[in-house]
């Protein structure tokens, strides 16, 4: 039952019967899935319904990320398994469409190449960043790249430390991948981000282009001599570092050969001069026989 067309108690029809949803686990991400099913751009608020329902309570314990197409794709306790719920806990929602400020949002990539770099979003006249190490995925990256005029994203980048401090605009964002604007994706309130996100754990993308990327290069920086230092990798024209998780002699052997040395003397995981920017690779696993670090096993570029 709703007082306005865009707000009210949420009801779902399952096996021919309408029923309500218990507010156990009900949040803005579950609400966003419902609003998108109703053809709204977003959820404004996840609420407890002011007008209570009667009869069947179908769902409780919903766990949605906001990227689902339908509420039945979210994790839940099971249809009809709603012990402990009553209609005083019926879920409600206020749905809406983009505001003029949200429609005016612009995005850009900060990096050495136009199609690669840290994501920055212009909202309310201020450029902000996205802090989203675990939630940031390829669907979010696709939306950013299409906003920039590219067909799609090639990679997401999950960890960038920014050179210039920016306010963190978004965290815990979830896109379906087809949105025309990042503003249509589920997320917490604008600027509502924990302090630990400030200028670290920032999201980035590599957008697809029609040109072949330049060959991957490696270099050593911040060391005491030309044959030692922090490993840096140039991918899609952008230099970044390699996380030392799992780094060993076999990995170092491949890098040294790429640099023209006959072999490796020792591998180091010691911190060198502090550097900001992209971390390109993690959990590199080479056999030692590869001709390039690109042939070694790893988590994926930017992941």
């Amino acid at each position: 039952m709703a007082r306005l067309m865009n707000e009210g108690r949420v009801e779902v029809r399952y096996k021919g019967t309408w029923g309500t949803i218990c507010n156990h686990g009900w949040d803005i991400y579950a609400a966003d899935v419902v609003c998108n099913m109703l053809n709204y751009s977003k959820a404004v608020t996840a609420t407890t319904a002011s007008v209570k329902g009667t009869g069947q309570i179908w769902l409780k314990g919903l766990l949605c990320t906001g990227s689902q197409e339908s509420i039945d794709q979210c994790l839940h306790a099971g249809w009809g398994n709603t012990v402990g719920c009553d209609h005083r806990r019926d879920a409600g929602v206020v749905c809406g469409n983009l505001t003029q400020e949200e429609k005016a949002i612009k995005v850009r990539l900060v990096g050495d190449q136009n199609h690669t770099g840290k994501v920055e979003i212009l909202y309310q006249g201020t450029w902000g960043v996205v802090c989203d190490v675990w939630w940031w995925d390829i669907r979010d990256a696709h939306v950013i790249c299409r906003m920039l005029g590219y067909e799609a994203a090639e990679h997401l980048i999950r960890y960038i430390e920014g050179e210039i401090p920016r306010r963190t605009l978004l965290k815990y964002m979830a896109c379906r991948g087809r949105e025309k604007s990042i503003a249509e994706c589920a997320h917490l309130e604008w600027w509502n981000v924990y302090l630990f996100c400030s200028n670290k754990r920032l999201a980035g993308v590599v957008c697809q282009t029609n040109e072949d990327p330049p060959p991957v290069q490696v270099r050593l920086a911040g060391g005491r001599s030309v044959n030692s230092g922090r490993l840096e990798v140039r991918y899609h024209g952008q230099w970044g570092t390699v996380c030392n998780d799992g780094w060993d002699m076999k990995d170092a052997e491949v890098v040294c050969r790429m640099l023209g040395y006959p072999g490796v003397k020792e591998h180091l995981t010691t911190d060198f001069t502090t550097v900001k920017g992209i971390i390109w690779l993690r959990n590199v696993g080479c056999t030692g026989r590869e001709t390039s670090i690109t042939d070694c096993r790893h988590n994926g570029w930017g992941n």
Side-chain angles (χ1 to χ4, degrees):
M1 182 174 182
R3 291 173 294 175
L4 299 172
M5 292 296 291
N6 66 321
E7 69 174 71
R9 182 181 65 248
V10 179
E11 295 189 354
V12 292
R13 189 170 185 260
Y14 179 66
K15 291 187 175 180
T17 301
W18 288 97
T20 61
I21 298 175
C22 181
N23 67 3
H24 179 263
W26 184 248
D27 62 12
I28 194 66
Y29 298 100
D32 197 81
V33 175
V34 167
C35 289
N36 274 270
M37 291 178 70
L38 294 169
N39 295 318
Y40 291 97
S41 297
K42 63 177 184 177
V44 178
T45 311
T47 67
T48 298
S50 58
V51 179
K52 310 306 176 187
T54 59
Q56 182 69 51
I57 302 174
W58 271 128
L59 294 171
K60 82 167 187 178
L62 275 172
L63 181 59
C64 305
T65 65
S67 61
Q68 291 84 0
E69 300 288 342
S70 173
I71 200 75
D72 63 350
Q73 295 173 358
C74 303
L75 296 176
H76 54 77
W79 290 96
N81 185 14
T82 55
V83 175
C85 291
D86 57 44
H87 285 293
R88 291 174 296 180
R89 299 184 61 184
D90 285 344
V93 70
V94 178
C95 299
N97 291 310
L98 300 185
T99 65
Q100 290 304 312
E101 287 181 326
E102 290 171 332
K103 290 179 180 178
I105 277 177
K106 296 180 180 179
V107 297
R108 68 184 180 188
L109 301 181
V110 177
D112 295 336
Q113 303 292 319
N114 291 335
H115 70 291
T116 303
K118 172 168 59 78
V119 173
E120 292 192 354
I121 302 173
L122 182 64
Y123 178 63
Q124 295 178 331
T126 300
W127 286 101
V129 292
V130 179
C131 174
D132 241 334
V133 179
W134 304 120
W135 282 53
W136 185 252
D137 67 19
I138 195 65
R139 292 169 293 190
D140 309 322
H142 284 323
V143 176
I144 291 290
C145 289
R146 283 202 302 274
M147 289 181 72
L148 291 166
Y150 297 99
E151 184 176 342
E154 184 167 339
H155 299 293
L156 59 94
I157 304 173
R158 276 213 169 104
Y159 197 109
I160 302 175
E161 184 169 354
E163 300 281 353
I164 301 173
R166 298 280 186 193
R167 285 184 67 189
T168 305
L169 176 64
L170 288 175
K171 186 184 179 187
Y172 298 147
M173 187 169 60
C175 303
R176 292 167 182 82
R178 297 192 302 273
E179 294 88 347
K180 294 181 179 179
S181 169
I182 206 75
E184 297 174 13
C185 303
H187 57 80
L188 298 181
E189 295 176 17
W190 302 104
W191 308 117
N192 182 18
V193 181
Y194 300 112
L195 292 177
F196 80 87
C197 281
S198 180
N199 210 43
K200 295 185 177 182
R201 305 171 185 264
L202 305 182
V205 298
V206 178
C207 297
Q208 291 180 6
T209 67
N210 294 325
E211 300 176 0
D212 292 332
V216 170
Q217 297 174 277
V218 295
R219 69 184 180 187
L220 301 178
R224 297 178 181 177
S225 61
V226 295
N227 66 332
S228 69
R230 177 185 63 252
L231 172 61
E232 296 186 354
V233 181
R234 189 171 186 256
Y235 181 67
H236 273 268
Q238 183 85 35
W239 286 100
T241 57
V242 177
C243 181
N244 66 8
D245 288 354
W247 187 253
D248 62 18
M249 286 289 283
K250 294 178 181 178
D251 309 322
E253 181 79 26
V254 174
V255 168
C256 287
R257 285 203 307 274
M258 289 180 72
L259 291 167
Y261 295 101
V264 60
K265 183 176 180 180
E266 62 178 323
H267 78 285
L268 303 173
T269 56
T270 306
D271 291 334
F272 294 96
T273 306
T274 302
V275 65
K276 300 181 186 296
I278 297 171
I279 298 177
W280 271 128
L281 293 173
R282 181 178 180 231
N283 289 327
V284 174
C286 303
T287 65
R289 298 187 298 273
E290 295 87 351
T291 58
S292 170
I293 196 170
T294 60
D295 300 324
C296 302
R297 174 179 48 81
H298 53 76
N299 283 9
W301 291 97
N303 190 9

